[in-house]
Amino acid sequence: MKGRLSRASAVVLTDYKGMTVAELTSLRSLLRSSSLEYSVVKNTLAKIASQDTGMAVAADSLKGPVGIAIGYDDPVLVLKKVLEFKKTNDKLR
């Protein structure tokens, strides 16, 4: 996880509470089609992995059910794709 966060050009934190496995799989597929990643990681692990990376400033936001969308090339693309999915699924925050 630390390697992925240190290479990331953009990271979007999401709250996936209430989403089904099928909905999460759909989100992952949408992101994967654009060479993006989505991971559900324990908050403690994410806080440790974020140290010495650009995401360290957001470590305090890691509370509750958090999913991490990671983009490596275009920093705006990851946010666009997450918002595109949100239009079809209002459970994602």
Side-chain angles (χ1 to χ4, degrees):
M1 178 57 85
K2 185 169 189 91
R4 291 190 285 171
L5 291 176
S6 62
R7 289 182 296 138
S9 65
V11 174
V12 176
L13 302 177
T14 65
D15 180 351
Y16 62 89
K17 186 177 178 181
M19 291 179 63
T20 65
V21 172
E23 292 167 332
L24 282 171
T25 301
S26 177
L27 172 59
R28 284 187 174 105
S29 296
L30 174 69
L31 295 175
R32 197 175 305 120
S33 69
S34 297
S35 301
L36 306 171
E37 296 180 13
Y38 187 80
S39 299
V40 173
V41 181
K42 288 189 173 259
N43 293 337
T44 305
L45 176 65
K47 285 179 185 178
I48 293 168
S50 70
Q51 292 175 355
D52 301 323
T53 69
M55 194 181 134
V57 296
D60 292 338
S61 299
L62 296 169
K63 295 176 185 165
V66 176
I68 303 172
I70 303 172
Y72 300 105
D73 297 321
D74 182 4
V76 178
L77 183 62
V78 67
L79 181 59
K80 282 183 181 180
K81 289 297 180 177
V82 168
L83 291 176
E84 178 182 324
F85 182 80
K86 174 133 178 64
K87 288 179 184 176
T88 63
N89 189 320
D90 60 345
K91 294 176 193 170
L92 183 70
R93 287 178 246 127

